[in-house]
Amino acid sequence: MTVSLEQLRRCHFAVDLGAARTRVYVKGMGLVVDQPSVAAVNTRTGGLIAVGEFAEKMTGRTPDYIRVVRPISGGTVVDIEMAQRMLRHLLGDKIRRSLRRKPRLRAAACTPHDADPLAQRATIETLVGLGARRVELVDTLIAAAVGCGMPVERPEATMILVCGAAATQVAVLSLGSIVCAERLPVGGEAVDRAIVQHLRHEHELMLPSQSVRPLQLALSGNGLTPHGPASTEIHGRDVATGLARSVQVDTAAVRDAIQTPLTGVLDGIGKVLRDCPPDLVADLADRGIMMVGGSALLPGFDQLLRQATGMPVHIAERPDVCVVQGIGAMLEGRIEPLVLNPLAA
C-alpha cells in the first residue's frame, strides 16, 4: 500500500471514480453517493442539465443540443472540469457545506493498479477542485480486498478479481501488499459490445439505446452455463427497415459470442498465477478467488472461472460497493495495521 493507514484516517471523505458508477464515502456518514458516472450538457449554453441516473436515462434520447458525456473512462478521469461539476451536483449543497467546514480538508481516491502518473494527477486535480487540500491515492485492489473482508494483512495468499465496466484487475495479495497483479482492458462493456455485435450480424437487430443493458436482456437465469434457458426474446430495431422487431436469440450462440473477452480474463489469471511464488499458489488452492465489481454478477461467470482454474470461486456479498466500503473502513480506522516487531539483538 503506497499510503499508510494513519494518513487515511486523517481523510474526511473518499471517492471511487468508476467508468460505470461514481461512489462517495463521507467519514461518519457512510456511503452518500452511488450514481452512474454520466452528465448531460447543453451544448448551446454549456450548462449542466442532469447528472447520475437521470442523465443515463437520457442517453440516446436527446435532441441535438444536449450531449450526454462520461468524464471517467476505465477508472481514469478524462475530463477534469466535467468530473468536478458532476461530483458537485452529486454531493449536493448540504454535504459540500459540511465538508467545507473541515479545516484542511483531506480526501482519498481509488486508482486502478499501475495507473500512470498522468491518470493519478487527473484524479488529484479533480478532488482539489472540490476543495481538498490533500489527496491520498489507494490502489483499487487493496480497497476491494479490505471491503469484502479478506485478511490482506496476514502472511497468506488472497486472490481478488475486480470486474469493472472498462477493465478487469486480478491480483494476489499477502502481508497487506500486492505480490503480483495484472490489469486487463476487458470488462462488462466489452462483453456488452460482443453481444451487440452478435445481434447485429446474426439477427440484423440493433438495440434501441446505449442505456439498455444488453447483457441483462440477452442472459437470464444462468445464461452463461448450458443449464440456463435455451432462448430468450430480444426487442430492437431492424437494421434494414428501421422498424421495431423482436427475435428469439439462442443463448448457446450468445455464450460463444462472449467467449473472446472472457478468455482474456482467464489468460490474465493464468499469468498472475505463473508469476506468483509457489507457496502462495498452494494457499490459493484452498482459499480460491474472490470476485468483486459490478461485472462479477454476470450470470455463470463464477462457474466458468471455477471450471477453467479448478479453484474455488466466491462472489462478495455486495460486489459492486466493495471498493468504496473498503476505503471507507480505512477512513473510519476499522483496519488495524500489521506490526512487525524486529528481533532483539
Side-chain angles (χ1 to χ4, degrees), residues 139-150 160 162 292 322-323 326-327 330:
D139 197 302
T140 300
L141 292 165
I142 298 288
V146 171
C148 61
M150 298 178 72
I160 189 163
V162 181
V292 302
C322 278
V323 174
I327 195 171
M330 298 178 193

Side-chain angles (χ1 to χ4, degrees), residues 111-289:
T111 55
H113 180 68
D114 284 344
D116 58 80
L118 189 61
Q120 295 179 359
R121 187 64 189 172
T123 301
I124 293 173
E125 289 187 9
T126 299
L127 297 185
V128 167
L130 293 178
R133 300 289 296 274
R134 183 182 176 90
V135 179
E136 308 289 355
L137 299 181
V138 180
D139 197 302
T140 300
L141 292 165
I142 298 288
V146 171
C148 61
M150 298 178 72
V152 294
E153 299 293 342
R154 296 180 185 175
E156 54 190 33
T158 54
M159 190 172 194
I160 189 163
L161 186 71
V162 181
C163 309
T168 298
Q169 303 174 68
V170 57
V172 174
L173 296 88
S174 180
L175 292 173
S177 300
I178 296 174
V179 178
C180 50
E182 191 74 18
R183 185 181 176 197
L184 313 166
V186 177
E189 293 176 353
V191 177
D192 289 352
R193 285 194 298 269
I195 297 177
V196 169
Q197 292 175 3
H198 171 75
L199 294 176
R200 184 182 179 93
H201 294 157
E202 298 298 327
H203 300 277
E204 296 184 350
L205 193 75
M206 292 180 62
L207 292 181
S209 171
Q210 297 177 7
S211 64
V212 176
R213 294 289 294 176
L215 194 56
Q216 297 174 2
L217 294 175
L219 297 177
S220 58
N222 231 5
L224 271 185
T225 62
H227 306 291
S231 63
T232 185
E233 188 176 12
I234 296 293
H235 306 280
R237 187 180 70 183
D238 190 278
V239 174
T241 65
L243 301 177
R245 185 163 62 92
S246 299
V247 297
Q248 285 289 333
V249 177
D250 183 13
T251 54
V254 174
R255 286 199 302 270
D256 295 337
I258 63 177
Q259 282 303 311
T260 300
L262 294 183
T263 300
V265 176
L266 296 176
D267 292 342
I269 294 175
K271 185 177 186 304
V272 169
L273 291 175
R274 288 192 298 271
D275 296 341
C276 189
D279 290 341
L280 294 181
V281 176
D283 292 343
L284 296 175
D286 297 326
R287 304 180 62 87
I289 305 172

